[in-house]
Amino acid sequence: MNTATDSGSSTIQLLYFARVAELTGCRAETYALPQGGPVTGSDLLAQLGQRYPDLAGASRLRLAVNQTHAKPSVVIQAGDEVAVFEPVTGG
């Protein structure tokens, strides 16, 4: 498990699935929220896109916060668990 700088209670747990895990090189990490948080889902995806350039176009990615699918406008707080994954299609 990769661990970002942990500043105590201002962190979230990130979980990466499928191709996102391949592109980041890890399945999970502790992530320090900028300025201690909170942060919107879209801002978090933008930060992850900068941190992991292979995630370019991160706006296509989806989030689940505390095991509930969330819109990009969701507010992510310290202590949250955030899953990051690509949209799933079927037919």
Side-chain angles (χ1 to χ4, degrees):
M1 175 187 295
N2 290 343
T3 303
T5 304
D6 188 343
S7 52
S9 62
S10 64
T11 62
I12 59 174
Q13 182 69 23
L14 289 172
L15 305 174
Y16 302 120
F17 292 92
R19 180 132 171 87
V20 178
E22 292 173 17
L23 294 173
T24 61
C26 61
R27 292 214 168 269
E29 68 178 316
T30 300
Y31 182 79
L33 293 171
Q35 291 90 35
V39 65
T40 66
S42 57
D43 286 343
L44 176 63
L45 289 174
Q47 291 165 18
L48 292 175
Q50 290 177 351
R51 183 174 183 172
Y52 299 107
D54 288 339
L55 291 180
S59 62
R60 77 183 188 291
L61 298 177
R62 301 292 182 253
L63 299 173
V65 178
N66 300 321
Q67 300 181 7
T68 301
H69 284 266
K71 295 182 179 186
S73 60
V74 67
V75 176
I76 298 167
Q77 304 281 344
D80 284 345
E81 176 188 79
V82 181
V84 183
F85 53 94
E86 290 186 306
V88 178
T89 61

